[in-house]
Amino acid sequence: MDVMTYADFKAKCGDIPILILPIKRFWFNKILSGEKLEEYRNITPYYEKRLEKYRDYLHFSVGFRAGYRMDSPFIVCLCRLQKGEGFEEWGAEKGKKYYILKIEKVYKTL
């Protein structure tokens, strides 16, 4: 696999400010292959606090980790944030509003 682990990323890059989000390996692989171009998060106080600070940025870096372990596969993506309805085939529920992380570029390794 041509992705790094989060531990490798930290060893190589140190504490670069980056939003880290765990996701299921199924969705991780879809993002890595280019099949999934959006990741969704529920509009809750928890994600409001974590995501609203990126609202004014045109782009920002997001690290997606396939699970919670430090040795889980990890990729960095260039994203932009918006709110709206997502696609059911990418994991969204029909008619539900989400924070949408639009994935513009996937960096498999640094």
Side-chain angles (χ1 to χ4, degrees), residues 5-24:
T5 66
Y6 182 64
D8 293 338
F9 174 82
K10 285 197 56 85
K12 186 173 185 177
C13 301
D15 288 324
I16 293 175
I18 188 171
L19 177 65
I20 308 293
L21 296 172
I23 60 175
K24 292 182 179 181

Side-chain angles (χ1 to χ4, degrees), residues 21-55:
L21 296 172
I23 60 175
K24 292 182 179 181
R25 188 174 298 258
F26 176 81
W27 296 122
F28 178 89
N29 290 335
K30 295 278 188 188
I31 291 170
L32 187 61
S33 71
E35 294 176 57
K36 185 177 185 204
L37 304 175
E38 297 177 352
E39 175 60 19
Y40 308 114
R41 290 294 184 252
N42 290 321
I43 299 175
T44 63
Y46 175 78
Y47 282 114
E48 284 177 12
K49 185 175 180 178
R50 291 192 76 194
L51 296 175
E52 280 298 326
K53 60 185 159 192
Y54 298 104
R55 196 84 163 126

Side-chain angles (χ1 to χ4, degrees), residues 1 36 46-50 54 63-64 73 76 83 86 88-89 91 106-107:
M1 187 180 273
K36 185 177 185 204
Y46 175 78
Y47 282 114
E48 284 177 12
K49 185 175 180 178
R50 291 192 76 194
Y54 298 104
F64 291 109
V76 178
K83 286 183 182 178
E88 289 180 68
E89 60 268 21
V106 177
Y107 300 97

Side-chain angles (χ1 to χ4, degrees), residues 63-79:
F64 291 109
R65 187 169 54 200
Y68 289 91
R69 294 172 45 118
M70 289 291 279
D71 61 349
S72 296
F74 179 81
I75 54 174
V76 178
C77 297
L78 187 65
C79 297

Side-chain angles (χ1 to χ4, degrees), residues 85-110:
E85 294 183 19
F87 296 104
E88 289 180 68
E89 60 268 21
W90 289 343
E93 294 177 25
K94 187 175 183 173
K96 186 174 178 181
K97 298 261 188 208
Y98 294 94
Y99 283 110
I100 301 172
L101 295 159
K102 296 272 193 178
I103 299 165
E104 305 212 339
K105 184 168 177 76
V106 177
Y107 300 97
K108 295 177 185 167
T109 58
L110 296 177

